[in-house]
Amino acid sequence: MAMYALKLNHVIRRQSNGVLAYGRWVAYNSCVRPAVAHPLAGQQCTVDDLKQTQSVMDQLACHALGLNEHLPRALLHGPMALGGVGIPTLWAETLAEKLAYFVHHMRIGDDVGTQLKVSTVIVQLEVGTGTPFFSTAL
């Protein structure tokens, strides 16, 4: 995965020489980030698994925004309300995509939704809870 991100880094740097800063951000946000984040939704990745790829993506985001690449990552990924830039990490984007996938298929009730429902019932039986997971108040 890191090799893929490094190749994308090379392509973006080569193609962005004459592109305005806004164009670099649009290219990053609409091409690079989805190309790296979308396949991760089908994978089981931890934060440590994504550390090297996240480093490359952080450099690309900083360059696209015209920021110093040594900007503290807490500022880059921190919420805007607290003075951060507000760019989500790959792990957070992957988790959001997985949740959206789950909720979408559970709502429309297609074959995938049925398989997900069966999986949750099986997990409930293995865990031994008496009430369904989604029926309990949090």
Side-chain angles (χ1 to χ4, degrees), residues 101 104-117:
Y101 177 84
H104 169 74
H105 287 290
M106 290 296 279
R107 282 185 178 169
I108 64 172
D110 60 353
D111 290 341
V112 176
T114 303
Q115 291 172 357
L116 288 170
K117 193 176 287 187

Side-chain angles (χ1 to χ4, degrees), residues 1-18:
M1 187 59 78
M3 292 281 289
Y4 183 64
L6 287 172
K7 287 180 184 178
L8 286 173
N9 183 7
H10 177 69
V11 169
I12 290 296
R13 285 182 187 220
R14 187 168 25 120
Q15 292 178 351
S16 67
N17 289 338

Side-chain angles (χ1 to χ4, degrees), residues 10-111:
H10 177 69
V11 169
I12 290 296
R13 285 182 187 220
R14 187 168 25 120
Q15 292 178 351
S16 67
N17 289 338
V19 179
L20 298 173
Y22 180 73
R24 286 196 309 261
W25 175 245
V26 169
Y28 169 81
N29 215 23
S30 62
C31 297
V32 176
R33 189 177 51 83
V36 174
H38 183 69
L40 294 175
Q43 305 296 321
Q44 184 63 33
C45 299
T46 63
V47 175
D48 290 334
D49 294 337
L50 296 172
K51 189 177 279 187
Q52 190 175 11
T53 307
Q54 184 67 58
S55 175
V56 174
M57 293 298 289
D58 289 347
Q59 287 178 349
L60 285 171
C62 285
H63 287 299
L65 290 170
L67 300 171
N68 186 339
E69 68 180 36
H70 300 292
L71 180 77
R73 296 309 177 232
L75 287 176
L76 186 66
H77 300 296
M80 295 176 79
L82 299 176
V85 179
I87 298 175
T89 61
L90 284 174
W91 185 81
E93 285 188 52
T94 302
L95 181 62
E97 283 190 31
K98 287 179 183 181
L99 287 172
Y101 177 84
F102 179 80
V103 170
H104 169 74
H105 287 290
M106 290 296 279
R107 282 185 178 169
I108 64 172
D110 60 353
D111 290 341

